[in-house]
Amino acid sequence: MTGNAPFSPRGSKEEIEEGTSFSPKFDASGLITAVTTDAKTGELLMVAWMNAEALARTVETGEAWYWSRSRGELWHKGDTSGQIQTVVELRTDCDQDTVWLKVDVAGDGGCCHAGYRSCFYRRVPKGEPAKLEHTGAEKLPHSHG
């Protein structure tokens, strides 16, 4: 799968921002940012990348697919961990260069390969740009990380 297929071609600014055609804008590497949240709670679970094939499979199957930049391959979230992400809603932003997946997560409900429910389990304290601290999130009992 190359380019923007099977999505609509990109039209005018007005069509992209106000129209009804889904015409995602992939970056120079052929990727689009995917933000994933819990459909019930709104909790931010993860941010990942999709290429056109991953995005098309997500739309077609109703389950989240991503592009693993480190492995250079498609990644069906939950295939090995049981943490399948069923897409409840898929949105795009105004210029269609980011997608937002609202999902229900199967298995233990986790999404992070380090064993946490969310990939965002640490924070940077204000005024301390070189420091990270834990938010208090606990690892899941059967962590996969």
Side-chain angles (χ1 to χ4, degrees):
M1 186 175 294
T2 59
N4 215 37
F7 308 105
S8 295
R10 295 201 37 101
S12 69
K13 181 177 187 246
E14 182 180 357
E15 290 169 331
I16 291 166
E17 293 178 354
E18 302 288 341
T20 58
S21 294
F22 186 35
S23 49
K25 181 180 179 184
F26 298 92
D27 68 14
S29 298
L31 302 174
I32 191 169
T33 304
V35 177
T36 305
T37 62
D38 184 288
K40 291 180 188 76
T41 67
E43 179 182 13
L44 177 59
L45 299 173
M46 57 185 279
V47 175
W49 298 94
M50 293 180 162
N51 62 5
E53 185 175 358
L55 183 54
R57 284 190 187 195
T58 298
V59 172
E60 291 164 8
T61 66
E63 294 180 353
W65 287 77
Y66 301 101
W67 177 256
S68 172
R69 294 178 300 168
S70 61
R71 295 188 310 266
E73 64 186 17
L74 281 175
W75 160 40
H76 181 215
K77 179 64 179 147
D79 250 2
T80 56
S81 67
Q83 300 167 337
I84 299 286
Q85 296 177 348
T86 301
V87 178
V88 174
E89 184 176 27
L90 192 151
R91 294 187 184 190
T92 191
D93 68 334
C94 53
D95 56 1
Q96 299 192 41
D97 66 355
T98 303
V99 292
W100 175 13
L101 286 73
K102 295 183 180 187
V103 302
D104 286 330
V105 183
D108 62 11
C111 290
C112 178
H113 77 276
Y116 295 88
R117 172 166 165 66
S118 167
C119 294
F120 295 88
Y121 54 89
R122 298 175 292 177
R123 65 179 154 245
V124 178
K126 187 174 183 175
E128 299 185 56
K131 184 177 179 184
L132 282 176
E133 62 186 21
H134 279 267
T135 62
E138 294 184 15
K139 283 197 172 191
L140 297 170
H142 302 292
S143 66
H144 301 281

